[in-house]
Amino acid sequence: MQRTLISLYHVSGRQLDPSLLLVRVGWQYRIQTPTTYAALRLASTSSGASSSTDSSRTSSSNSSEKPASSSNSCFSPNSPGPSPTPSQKSSKRPNDLPPDWDEDPNFNIQAFSDLPSSNFGVNQHILINNEFKEALRQVLWKFRAPIRYAFAYGSGVFSQTGSTPLSPPNLHPHPSPAITTVQKGGGKMIDFIFGVSYTQHWHSLNLHQNRDHYSAVGSLGSYAVSRIQDSWGAGVYFHPYITINGTLIKYGVVNLDTLCQDLSQWDTLYLAGRLQKPVKILRDDPRVRLANQVNLISAVRTALLLLPPKFTEQDLYNTIAGISYLGDPRMTLGAENLNKVTNIVKDQLPNFRRLYAPLIENLPNVSFQDPRCSSPSWVDDPNTNAGMVQDMDPEKRGNMVRRLPKNFREKLYFQFQSKYQIPQLEFNKMMEQSNDEDPSRIKRKQGGPFEQRIAGEDQEALNKEVSAVITKIIKWPSYSQSVKGLVTGGVGRSWRYSKEKWEKYREGQNKQRSGKEEKAGANHVHDVKEKD
């Protein structure tokens, strides 16, 4: 049975999110029309609650694309789950998400109504404190230049295990009480990404309003600034250490076309990697929502190729979060905490669950297998690390390879062409048969013998080749983006930023060293007791 809504919370009554026109009915989520929403708001006893919502991907009717069903699956339609109330029994689940929505997505859509379903991609909206969310949104209103899409991310928004503020508590000159509360009195710069339609026009307006946000590059004018942004690195122009509303922020500007291209094709994985982790979307755009859903399902498929038949959900999320750090020069040059991936996932496990569980639910070859998943409270439980299994059937795994993002998939093919020593003419013929631009719609995204051979590789060998391809994609754009930051941020700000990153790296090294020493000490005590 196809499903576009899943049960993630057990909530009595109805709670509304006026920013998204979302309504909770029992333990389901629905997007209401404005008329229905107004009626519900009048009848509701609780309002203004921000909600994290979920959408799921439906599948094709053939066996290789049907959702995996298991009696222990957390999100299986046959899962025991909570007993529905009479109102839940009578309500019908929307069934308007077409099969294989990611087969040929239309990235030229203009409105949310053009998305595959009314609930499509709402899993991307993560729950945060309501007052904190409004404080972040107020930052956007300070810019006169139009911002079409925006999200806040990083440890300044979402806590990370073992991440302690290296800056003084008074880092923010005059922060709102909500920011002080969320950051627990510590000072952490808040990171933003702004998606804009016309790069040069945006910088022209912003230079006029906020010339002090730019380094000496700003004196060259908006044309030079836009050329530096779009032609160098990953296509992002960062402004670090900017004070808005008494809060210290860093914001990056990216063209929406560049953003959607990276999300759907993995050209650089620079922004796609950031959006593979929980972020707070403050201003949404239908094209980006569609492209990001493709990005998220691609991250799951890539991670599954790197994982064994049995694993835990934390293993899955660690693998996904680690994708964007392969080849990142900050990890090798001492500009990032070595424990960053573990820190992100450990403290954000429920948010990763909200982001990916709706997608995992409808994949044909992976399922949750843990009795704890039958409880609705499991979703919000940070202490539950549910077990998972995946089907290692070569056909299904070959289909996963075939559905990877185009740029990444092509590089993976070339990697294995070299390994298998396939003659160029034969390889070219295989590439023509799997060309995305082929007008034939029959079996376009079904993996053939070549994809099945790749997916059937020994796990260690497959991990090595996939990791090598990801590293090639990330390394140069990430390195050149870091160099660009020295120019666009200015000498003083860049030095300050690099210094803080180096301190984070040293913090990670010290914790790793302390952990090894504690483990060695525990092993020594154990050996002594055995001798006694």
Side-chain angles (χ1 to χ4, degrees), residues 324-340:
S324 62
Y325 291 106
L326 290 172
D328 190 335
R330 295 176 301 173
M331 301 299 287
T332 55
L333 297 177
E336 197 58 87
N337 189 330
L338 293 175
N339 302 312
K340 190 173 183 69

Side-chain angles (χ1 to χ4, degrees), residues 97-124:
L97 188 63
D100 298 324
W101 60 266
D102 61 335
E103 180 89 8
D104 187 25
N106 176 18
F107 295 113
N108 295 318
I109 60 175
Q110 299 296 321
F112 288 101
S113 59
D114 296 330
L115 289 168
S117 80
S118 60
N119 295 282
F120 184 87
V122 290
N123 56 300
Q124 298 171 24

